[in-house]
């Protein structure tokens, strides 16, 4: 095999090591345990994927919302395609430098003499020898980009899950608030009738009217929250048009009996952290570039050449070498810059580790608190309000309390139900945030607000 063929084979061997987008997706799936859309392997699809319409034909579950977001969110698709930038830089790093070719043509004064031709081919050996170091640095950059993309996958999965839970809670809250509004409307009408019959004062009527109108304002607030949470869900899922009419399956599930939190929660969060893994890859790339810069600073730039010269009817062949002496420029500045970046990134890595530990403790505390609050409402407050309503109803039947006391007890129970729904939403959102952390992504908790109904007007009325 000639020298040219060996060179071509070496180039093919090096370029053959560049991974594809498919291998990048497989690596991210391995890091996140989430299936990613294969549609990004082809050309950019300007339309809506067929899977989206098919998924929305049935009521959407929370897991279905996560799958739909991963398949249809354009920002995630863009993040996955951004991997092509680092992959392209890696492919470029694999490439050997091009040879330089110089051709000189000279014509003699004697027209009978043939045209003289000199041919030079020069190749930079030093640059070629350092190619593996550039490839290794670019490989670390690509791995860092994969971890970054994997973090984006987990972030979107959490956002879709939290948005779904918020929208689901808003649906339930609106139903409860509308029941309360109906009860207050009944109280208002009853007060009006009692007043017209001369059995109650005008103050009672005004109080019930005020309570009803305040409840209407609360319902309007919940309706806005419902619309906002559905828009937030639509953004996470990448939906528009007919997709906005999606229906959600079921209601918020009850809080399970217990959470199995690992005793070594902080350590597990550190081990799983994609943010720290990405920084380690970037540190490895910088370390490689520090070594590369130092090597290039001390190593002479060596180039070899072959040349041929036509002298009359014959060709003369020869070879040579040239080198630059690293006397003045030893790349000290470039090396110092890479070293400074490495040191700064090391500090950020240590700081991020502290933040991850803190996030683990915060997530555990938030989950524990949300559990206590949700179970307290489910097991104590809502049942207690139910007993109050039941006893008030018995006293109402015995003509010991008036209709307003009965309606006030009903309002209190419905308010407790609203708070209970908000507590369950916060629990499941906190659970999703902790799961995301233990899978490698630190997320910001995105709990919602809770609406309360008008307080008891405290009106005494007759039976």
């Amino acid at each position: 095999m000639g020298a040219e063929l060996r060179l071509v084979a070496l180039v093919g061997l090096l370029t053959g090591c560049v991974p594809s987008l498919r291998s990048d997706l497989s690596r991210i799936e391995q890091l996140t345990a989430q299936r990613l859309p294969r549609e990004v392997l082809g050309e950019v699809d300007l339309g809506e994927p067929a899977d989206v319409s098919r998924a929305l034909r049935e009521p959407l579950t929370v897991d279905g919302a996560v799958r739909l977001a991963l398949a249809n969110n354009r920002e995630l698709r863009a993040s996955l395609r951004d991997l092509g930038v680092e992959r392209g830089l890696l492919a470029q790093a694999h490439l050997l430098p091009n040879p330089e070719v110089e051709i000189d043509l000279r014509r003699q004064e004697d027209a009978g003499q043939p045209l003289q031709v000199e041919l030079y081919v020069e190749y930079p050996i030093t640059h070629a020898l350092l190619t593996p170091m550039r490839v290794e640095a670019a490989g670390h950059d690509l791995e860092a980009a994969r971890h970054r993309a994997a973090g984006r996958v987990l972030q979107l999965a959490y956002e879709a899950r939290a948005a779904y839970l918020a929208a689901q809670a808003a649906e339930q809250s609106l139903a409860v608030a509308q029941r309360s509004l109906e009860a207050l409307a009944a109280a208002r009408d009853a007060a009006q009738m009692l007043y017209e019959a001369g059995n109650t004062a005008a103050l009672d009527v005004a109080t019930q009217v005020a309570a009803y109108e305040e409840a209407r304002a609360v319902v309007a607030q919940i309706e806005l929250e419902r619309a906002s949470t559905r828009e937030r869900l639509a953004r996470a899922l990448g939906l528009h048009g007919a997709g906005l009419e999606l229906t959600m399956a079921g209601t918020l599930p009850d809080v399970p009996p217990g959470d199995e939190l690992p005793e070594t929660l902080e350590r597990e969060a550190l081990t799983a952290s994609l943010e720290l893994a990405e920084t380690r890859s970037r540190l490895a790339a910088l370390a490689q570039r520090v070594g590369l810069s130092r090597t290039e600073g001390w190593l002479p730039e060596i180039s070899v050449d072959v040349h041929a010269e036509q002298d009359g009817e014959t060709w003369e062949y020869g070879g040579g070498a040239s080198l630059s002496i690293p006397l003045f420029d030893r790349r000290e500045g470039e090396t110092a810059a890479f070293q400074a970046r490495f040191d700064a990134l090391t500090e950020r890595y240590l700081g991020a580790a502290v933040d991850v530990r803190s996030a683990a403790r915060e997530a555990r505390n938030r989950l524990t608190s949300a559990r206590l609050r949700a179970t307290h409402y489910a097991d104590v407050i809502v049942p207690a309000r139910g007993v109050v309503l039941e006893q008030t109803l018995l006293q109402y039947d015995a003509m010991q309390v008036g209709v307003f006391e009965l309606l006030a007890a009903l309002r209190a129970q419905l308010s407790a139900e609203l708070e209970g729904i908000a507590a369950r939403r916060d629990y499941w959102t906190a659970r999703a945030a902790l799961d995301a952390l233990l899978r490698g992504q630190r997320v910001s908790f995105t709990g919602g607000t809770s609406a309360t109904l008008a307080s008891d007007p405290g009106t005494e009325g007759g039976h």
Side-chain angles (χ1 to χ4, degrees):
M1 181 182 291
E4 295 82 359
L5 291 179
R6 284 198 294 271
L7 179 60
V8 171
L10 178 59
V11 172
L13 178 63
L14 291 172
T15 55
C17 298
V18 177
S20 63
L21 177 57
R22 184 181 298 277
S23 63
D24 288 340
L25 294 183
S26 299
R27 174 65 174 148
I28 295 173
E29 287 179 340
Q30 178 189 4
L31 291 170
T32 62
Q34 291 280 358
R35 186 180 180 277
L36 297 176
R38 296 295 167 185
E39 291 80 358
V40 298
L41 295 174
E43 297 293 329
V44 175
D45 183 8
L46 300 179
E48 185 179 77
D51 292 345
V52 175
S53 301
R54 190 163 49 249
L56 295 177
R57 289 175 190 165
E58 301 293 334
L60 197 62
T61 63
V62 62
D63 291 332
V66 172
R67 287 193 297 271
L68 188 57
L70 296 179
N72 196 46
N73 186 280
R74 294 290 179 173
E75 183 58 35
L76 177 63
R77 286 171 172 247
S79 299
L80 297 177
R81 289 185 181 275
D82 278 343
L83 289 170
V85 176
E86 299 299 337
R87 198 167 53 253
L89 293 176
L90 177 59
Q92 185 64 38
H94 273 88
L95 300 180
L96 296 174
N98 293 321
E100 294 184 4
V101 179
E102 179 181 348
I103 301 176
D104 289 339
L105 301 176
R106 292 197 302 271
R107 178 171 292 282
Q108 304 292 329
E109 292 182 355
D110 185 357
Q113 294 295 322
L115 182 69
Q116 287 192 340
V117 180
E118 291 184 10
L119 178 63
Y120 291 89
V121 179
E122 188 178 51
Y123 194 77
I125 293 295
T126 304
H127 187 92
L129 291 177
L130 295 179
T131 294
M133 297 183 73
R134 294 190 181 87
V135 170
E136 188 172 351
H140 289 306
D141 283 338
L142 177 59
E143 185 66 7
R146 287 169 168 174
H147 282 96
R148 191 161 54 248
R152 177 62 189 141
V153 169
L154 293 181
Q155 176 74 35
L156 177 61
Y158 166 75
E159 290 175 359
R161 190 176 294 275
Y164 183 93
L165 293 170
Q168 200 175 35
E171 293 276 0
Q172 284 183 252
S173 297
L174 183 60
V176 172
Q178 286 173 340
R179 283 168 49 203
S180 176
L181 188 63
E182 293 171 359
L184 289 170
R188 178 201 57 190
D189 296 342
Q192 184 65 37
M193 287 187 293
L194 290 172
Y195 174 74
E196 292 173 356
N199 293 330
T200 190
L203 176 61
D204 297 334
V205 178
T207 303
Q208 294 302 328
V209 170
Y212 171 77
E213 296 300 333
E214 289 176 5
R216 285 186 59 185
V218 172
V219 170
Q221 176 190 342
I222 296 177
E223 287 176 340
L224 175 61
E225 183 179 348
R226 174 182 178 273
S228 298
T229 53
R230 288 182 68 90
E231 287 297 334
R232 181 177 147 202
L233 178 62
R235 285 196 297 274
L237 271 56
L239 298 178
H240 62 88
L244 300 178
E245 303 301 324
L246 66 89
T247 57
M248 288 176 286
T251 58
L252 282 172
D254 294 332
V255 176
D259 293 305
E260 295 183 0
L261 299 179
E263 296 181 359
T264 56
L265 182 64
E266 294 182 33
R267 186 186 307 168
E268 293 194 16
L270 287 174
T271 302
S273 174
L274 293 170
E275 177 185 359
L276 296 180
E278 177 202 345
T279 307
R280 285 195 296 271
S281 294
R282 291 172 59 196
L283 282 170
L286 280 174
Q288 192 67 27
R289 288 195 169 90
V290 170
L292 176 62
S293 180
R294 284 177 178 161
T295 303
E296 287 179 328
W298 286 97
L299 197 65
E301 185 68 37
I302 303 174
S303 297
V304 297
D305 68 85
V306 294
H307 61 268
E309 179 178 358
Q310 186 187 37
D311 185 9
E313 299 298 331
T314 62
W315 281 87
E316 295 179 355
Y317 299 95
S322 64
L323 73 160
S324 65
I325 301 176
L327 190 60
F328 303 109
D329 181 7
R330 294 176 181 170
R331 296 181 180 270
E332 293 94 339
E334 182 183 79
T335 304
F338 280 129
Q339 183 64 56
R341 291 180 187 173
F342 181 88
D343 293 342
L345 192 57
T346 302
E347 294 286 355
R348 292 192 175 92
Y349 176 83
L350 298 175
V354 172
D355 292 346
V356 169
R357 286 179 177 274
S358 174
R361 295 191 298 271
E362 187 179 14
R364 178 184 56 200
N365 296 339
R366 183 183 298 114
L367 181 65
T368 303
S369 175
R371 158 175 288 284
L372 290 174
R373 183 165 168 260
T375 54
H376 192 62
Y377 267 100
D379 299 340
V380 179
I381 297 179
V382 174
R385 285 296 180 186
V387 172
V388 170
L389 177 62
E390 182 181 352
Q391 293 298 318
T392 305
L393 181 60
L394 292 175
Q395 292 185 6
Y396 173 78
D397 292 339
M399 301 183 66
Q400 294 176 344
V401 297
V403 64
F404 300 126
E405 285 81 357
L406 177 62
L407 293 173
L410 177 59
R411 282 198 303 274
Q413 186 193 28
L414 294 176
S415 292
E417 289 183 23
L418 283 179
E419 292 290 344
I421 292 170
R424 265 187 293 165
R425 176 204 59 203
D426 290 346
Y427 168 80
W428 287 111
T429 306
R431 180 77 252 183
L434 180 62
D435 290 343
L437 180 67
L438 292 178
R439 294 174 66 184
Q441 181 61 25
R442 183 161 47 112
V443 298
S444 298
F445 180 74
T446 53
T449 59
S450 59
T452 56
L453 297 173
S455 59
D456 182 6
T459 305
E460 295 291 339
H463 189 275

